[in-house]
Amino acid sequence: MTGAVPGTAAYFARGRLVQQFNDAVSLYNTTRDGRHLWRAFLVLHDAGEPLPPDLLAHFAEWARGVLAADGSREIAAALELAGDDKNYKGRKASQAAKRDQSLARLVHELRTVHGVSLTRAFAVVARDRGLNVPTVKKAYYGVMRKTP
């Protein structure tokens, strides 16, 4: 038997879609940066997928906030594109969270796909990304603690 298994490409494409959506939602939950939910929306929209009811409910909540807002600062806060110091962490925190998510994924893939030990995976990712091992460990454990 030669060739690809029927449905394999669709299966992996669906997996990438789910991963992109989950990554965006996870980044939103970590940073409270509303741009990540807009990214999650676009991932599903561009793929022609329906939006989950809880995401639609969140957008409805944002819409109420925008309609009640008085000025651009309040609109940005209502959309979680800016906000109070308690919840919104800003662009730098979003970039750091995204980097940590990427590092954790690389470590996880080395372990699960290639059977590399955790210690070795930390070293490989650190070397390949020009980072030190403690930075990769901190990113990995930070992300894994937040993963259900």
Side-chain angles (χ1 to χ4, degrees):
M1 181 173 178
T2 60
V5 176
T8 303
Y11 172 81
F12 285 110
R14 177 79 177 160
R16 281 189 299 278
L17 174 75
V18 169
Q19 181 180 1
Q20 290 172 343
F21 177 81
N22 286 339
D23 286 352
V25 170
S26 175
L27 285 169
Y28 167 76
N29 288 333
T30 300
T31 65
R32 284 302 192 239
D33 184 342
R35 291 175 299 160
H36 298 298
L37 282 188
W38 289 111
R39 184 174 294 115
F41 162 78
L42 285 175
V43 164
L44 295 180
H45 178 273
D46 292 350
E49 293 287 331
L51 296 176
D54 53 341
L55 183 59
L56 287 173
H58 202 89
F59 285 144
E61 181 182 323
W62 280 354
R64 287 183 194 89
V66 167
L67 293 173
D70 185 30
S72 59
R73 286 182 189 221
E74 286 184 21
I75 290 171
L79 293 171
E80 295 181 84
L81 300 174
D84 60 31
D85 291 333
K86 291 187 297 185
N87 296 320
Y88 180 77
K89 296 180 183 168
R91 186 177 202 97
K92 285 185 180 180
S94 284
Q95 290 170 338
K98 197 171 189 176
R99 182 204 68 172
D100 289 354
Q101 192 179 64
S102 174
L103 294 172
R105 174 170 291 110
L106 290 170
V107 169
H108 180 73
E109 286 176 4
L110 283 171
R111 293 193 68 218
T112 58
V113 176
H114 302 289
V116 173
S117 73
L118 187 56
T119 301
R120 181 75 181 129
F122 289 148
V124 168
V125 171
R127 181 198 68 214
D128 289 353
R129 290 294 179 99
L131 300 169
N132 60 42
V133 170
T135 298
V136 176
K137 278 185 180 181
K138 182 179 177 186
Y140 176 80
Y141 288 120
V143 169
M144 290 304 157
R145 266 193 296 271
K146 295 172 189 161
T147 303

